[in-house]
mmCIF file of all heavy atoms in Angstrom:
data_model
loop_
_atom_site.group_PDB
_atom_site.id
_atom_site.type_symbol
_atom_site.label_atom_id
_atom_site.label_comp_id
_atom_site.label_asym_id
_atom_site.label_seq_id
_atom_site.Cartn_x
_atom_site.Cartn_y
_atom_site.Cartn_z
ATOM 1 N N GLU X 36 11.317 14.758 -7.524
ATOM 2 C CA GLU X 36 11.822 13.409 -7.268
ATOM 3 C C GLU X 36 10.724 12.527 -6.671
ATOM 4 O O GLU X 36 10.584 11.358 -7.034
ATOM 5 C CB GLU X 36 13.035 13.451 -6.336
ATOM 6 C CG GLU X 36 14.258 14.108 -6.943
ATOM 7 C CD GLU X 36 14.299 15.625 -6.745
ATOM 8 O OE1 GLU X 36 13.270 16.247 -6.389
ATOM 9 O OE2 GLU X 36 15.381 16.202 -6.956
ATOM 10 N N ALA X 37 9.925 13.106 -5.784
ATOM 11 C CA ALA X 37 8.832 12.350 -5.169
ATOM 12 C C ALA X 37 7.815 11.922 -6.227
ATOM 13 O O ALA X 37 7.340 10.785 -6.220
ATOM 14 C CB ALA X 37 8.159 13.174 -4.076
ATOM 15 N N ALA X 38 7.501 12.820 -7.142
ATOM 16 C CA ALA X 38 6.535 12.506 -8.200
ATOM 17 C C ALA X 38 7.034 11.356 -9.068
ATOM 18 O O ALA X 38 6.253 10.476 -9.450
ATOM 19 C CB ALA X 38 6.265 13.742 -9.050
ATOM 20 N N ALA X 39 8.320 11.342 -9.368
ATOM 21 C CA ALA X 39 8.876 10.261 -10.188
ATOM 22 C C ALA X 39 8.772 8.920 -9.463
ATOM 23 O O ALA X 39 8.424 7.897 -10.071
ATOM 24 C CB ALA X 39 10.333 10.564 -10.540
ATOM 25 N N ILE X 40 9.045 8.925 -8.166
ATOM 26 C CA ILE X 40 8.968 7.679 -7.396
ATOM 27 C C ILE X 40 7.523 7.210 -7.291
ATOM 28 O O ILE X 40 7.230 6.019 -7.471
ATOM 29 C CB ILE X 40 9.599 7.871 -6.006
ATOM 30 C CG1 ILE X 40 11.109 8.081 -6.141
ATOM 31 C CG2 ILE X 40 9.292 6.681 -5.097
ATOM 32 C CD1 ILE X 40 11.792 8.546 -4.871
ATOM 33 N N VAL X 41 6.605 8.142 -7.039
ATOM 34 C CA VAL X 41 5.186 7.771 -6.953
ATOM 35 C C VAL X 41 4.701 7.218 -8.293
ATOM 36 O O VAL X 41 3.924 6.261 -8.334
ATOM 37 C CB VAL X 41 4.332 8.965 -6.481
ATOM 38 C CG1 VAL X 41 2.847 8.682 -6.629
ATOM 39 C CG2 VAL X 41 4.659 9.301 -5.030
ATOM 40 N N ALA X 42 5.164 7.780 -9.392
ATOM 41 C CA ALA X 42 4.793 7.263 -10.716
ATOM 42 C C ALA X 42 5.265 5.821 -10.880
ATOM 43 O O ALA X 42 4.527 4.972 -11.401
ATOM 44 C CB ALA X 42 5.378 8.149 -11.808
ATOM 45 N N ASP X 43 6.479 5.540 -10.436
ATOM 46 C CA ASP X 43 6.988 4.160 -10.504
ATOM 47 C C ASP X 43 6.149 3.224 -9.646
ATOM 48 O O ASP X 43 5.812 2.109 -10.062
ATOM 49 C CB ASP X 43 8.446 4.097 -10.044
ATOM 50 C CG ASP X 43 9.402 4.722 -11.041
ATOM 51 O OD1 ASP X 43 9.018 4.896 -12.222
ATOM 52 O OD2 ASP X 43 10.543 5.027 -10.633
ATOM 53 N N ILE X 44 5.810 3.672 -8.447
ATOM 54 C CA ILE X 44 4.984 2.848 -7.550
ATOM 55 C C ILE X 44 3.633 2.583 -8.195
ATOM 56 O O ILE X 44 3.142 1.450 -8.197
ATOM 57 C CB ILE X 44 4.817 3.544 -6.181
ATOM 58 C CG1 ILE X 44 6.149 3.562 -5.436
ATOM 59 C CG2 ILE X 44 3.735 2.866 -5.351
ATOM 60 C CD1 ILE X 44 6.161 4.440 -4.196
ATOM 61 N N TYR X 45 3.012 3.617 -8.747
ATOM 62 C CA TYR X 45 1.713 3.483 -9.388
ATOM 63 C C TYR X 45 1.774 2.487 -10.549
ATOM 64 O O TYR X 45 0.914 1.620 -10.696
ATOM 65 C CB TYR X 45 1.241 4.854 -9.875
ATOM 66 C CG TYR X 45 -0.100 4.836 -10.557
ATOM 67 C CD1 TYR X 45 -1.267 4.629 -9.846
ATOM 68 C CD2 TYR X 45 -0.189 5.026 -11.931
ATOM 69 C CE1 TYR X 45 -2.498 4.613 -10.475
ATOM 70 C CE2 TYR X 45 -1.410 5.010 -12.572
ATOM 71 C CZ TYR X 45 -2.559 4.798 -11.830
ATOM 72 O OH TYR X 45 -3.771 4.777 -12.473
ATOM 73 N N ARG X 46 2.815 2.579 -11.340
ATOM 74 C CA ARG X 46 2.983 1.676 -12.490
ATOM 75 C C ARG X 46 3.126 0.224 -12.010
ATOM 76 O O ARG X 46 2.498 -0.684 -12.531
ATOM 77 C CB ARG X 46 4.194 2.114 -13.309
ATOM 78 C CG ARG X 46 4.394 1.401 -14.613
ATOM 79 C CD ARG X 46 5.521 1.982 -15.485
ATOM 80 N NE ARG X 46 6.510 2.836 -14.836
ATOM 81 C CZ ARG X 46 6.461 4.172 -14.757
ATOM 82 N NH1 ARG X 46 5.437 4.818 -15.271
ATOM 83 N NH2 ARG X 46 7.422 4.864 -14.175
ATOM 84 N N GLU X 47 3.938 0.014 -10.992
ATOM 85 C CA GLU X 47 4.148 -1.349 -10.506
ATOM 86 C C GLU X 47 2.928 -1.881 -9.765
ATOM 87 O O GLU X 47 2.656 -3.079 -9.802
ATOM 88 C CB GLU X 47 5.415 -1.399 -9.651
ATOM 89 C CG GLU X 47 6.635 -1.182 -10.545
ATOM 90 C CD GLU X 47 7.946 -1.335 -9.828
ATOM 91 O OE1 GLU X 47 7.993 -1.931 -8.746
ATOM 92 O OE2 GLU X 47 8.960 -0.848 -10.384
ATOM 93 N N ASP X 48 2.158 -0.998 -9.124
ATOM 94 C CA ASP X 48 0.893 -1.427 -8.528
ATOM 95 C C ASP X 48 -0.044 -1.959 -9.611
ATOM 96 O O ASP X 48 -0.790 -2.909 -9.387
ATOM 97 C CB ASP X 48 0.220 -0.272 -7.783
ATOM 98 C CG ASP X 48 0.751 -0.076 -6.380
ATOM 99 O OD1 ASP X 48 1.493 -0.957 -5.877
ATOM 100 O OD2 ASP X 48 0.423 0.967 -5.768
ATOM 101 N N GLY X 49 0.007 -1.325 -10.782
ATOM 102 C CA GLY X 49 -0.804 -1.803 -11.902
ATOM 103 C C GLY X 49 -0.410 -3.211 -12.314
ATOM 104 O O GLY X 49 -1.266 -4.045 -12.622
ATOM 105 N N GLU X 50 0.894 -3.480 -12.312
ATOM 106 C CA GLU X 50 1.361 -4.826 -12.640
ATOM 107 C C GLU X 50 0.882 -5.836 -11.597
ATOM 108 O O GLU X 50 0.463 -6.951 -11.934
ATOM 109 C CB GLU X 50 2.886 -4.851 -12.720
ATOM 110 C CG GLU X 50 3.456 -4.123 -13.919
ATOM 111 C CD GLU X 50 4.980 -4.183 -13.945
ATOM 112 O OE1 GLU X 50 5.541 -5.241 -13.600
ATOM 113 O OE2 GLU X 50 5.596 -3.164 -14.316
ATOM 114 N N ILE X 51 0.934 -5.443 -10.337
ATOM 115 C CA ILE X 51 0.456 -6.326 -9.269
ATOM 116 C C ILE X 51 -1.030 -6.594 -9.446
ATOM 117 O O ILE X 51 -1.486 -7.740 -9.308
ATOM 118 C CB ILE X 51 0.755 -5.709 -7.883
ATOM 119 C CG1 ILE X 51 2.261 -5.703 -7.631
ATOM 120 C CG2 ILE X 51 0.016 -6.465 -6.780
ATOM 121 C CD1 ILE X 51 2.686 -4.868 -6.444
ATOM 122 N N SER X 52 -1.807 -5.568 -9.761
ATOM 123 C CA SER X 52 -3.234 -5.735 -9.975
ATOM 124 C C SER X 52 -3.521 -6.690 -11.134
ATOM 125 O O SER X 52 -4.424 -7.528 -11.060
ATOM 126 C CB SER X 52 -3.903 -4.388 -10.243
ATOM 127 O OG SER X 52 -3.833 -3.581 -9.087
ATOM 128 N N ALA X 53 -2.754 -6.567 -12.210
ATOM 129 C CA ALA X 53 -2.940 -7.460 -13.359
ATOM 130 C C ALA X 53 -2.639 -8.899 -12.972
ATOM 131 O O ALA X 53 -3.349 -9.837 -13.371
ATOM 132 C CB ALA X 53 -2.063 -7.004 -14.518
ATOM 133 N N LEU X 54 -1.580 -9.111 -12.209
ATOM 134 C CA LEU X 54 -1.242 -10.460 -11.763
ATOM 135 C C LEU X 54 -2.317 -11.001 -10.821
ATOM 136 O O LEU X 54 -2.700 -12.182 -10.926
ATOM 137 C CB LEU X 54 0.125 -10.477 -11.065
ATOM 138 C CG LEU X 54 1.318 -10.217 -11.982
ATOM 139 C CD1 LEU X 54 2.561 -9.959 -11.155
ATOM 140 C CD2 LEU X 54 1.530 -11.394 -12.915
ATOM 141 N N ALA X 55 -2.814 -10.161 -9.920
ATOM 142 C CA ALA X 55 -3.862 -10.597 -9.004
ATOM 143 C C ALA X 55 -5.126 -10.964 -9.772
ATOM 144 O O ALA X 55 -5.824 -11.921 -9.436
ATOM 145 C CB ALA X 55 -4.148 -9.513 -7.976
ATOM 146 N N ALA X 56 -5.418 -10.222 -10.842
ATOM 147 C CA ALA X 56 -6.596 -10.510 -11.662
ATOM 148 C C ALA X 56 -6.481 -11.903 -12.277
ATOM 149 O O ALA X 56 -7.469 -12.620 -12.403
ATOM 150 C CB ALA X 56 -6.759 -9.462 -12.748
ATOM 151 N N GLN X 57 -5.261 -12.310 -12.642
ATOM 152 C CA GLN X 57 -5.066 -13.643 -13.196
ATOM 153 C C GLN X 57 -5.395 -14.721 -12.175
ATOM 154 O O GLN X 57 -5.857 -15.808 -12.531
ATOM 155 C CB GLN X 57 -3.626 -13.822 -13.667
ATOM 156 C CG GLN X 57 -3.262 -12.985 -14.863
ATOM 157 C CD GLN X 57 -1.796 -13.148 -15.236
ATOM 158 O OE1 GLN X 57 -1.181 -14.157 -14.972
ATOM 159 N NE2 GLN X 57 -1.239 -12.116 -15.846
ATOM 160 N N LEU X 58 -5.186 -14.430 -10.897
ATOM 161 C CA LEU X 58 -5.478 -15.415 -9.856
ATOM 162 C C LEU X 58 -6.963 -15.642 -9.693
ATOM 163 O O LEU X 58 -7.378 -16.744 -9.316
ATOM 164 C CB LEU X 58 -4.892 -14.947 -8.515
ATOM 165 C CG LEU X 58 -3.386 -14.906 -8.419
ATOM 166 C CD1 LEU X 58 -2.969 -14.288 -7.095
ATOM 167 C CD2 LEU X 58 -2.789 -16.306 -8.557
#
Side-chain angles (χ1 to χ4, degrees):
E36 293 88 345
I40 292 169
V41 170
D43 289 342
I44 291 169
Y45 180 71
R46 188 173 18 266
E47 291 185 18
D48 277 349
E50 290 180 39
I51 291 168
S52 294
L54 291 168
Q57 292 177 27
L58 292 174

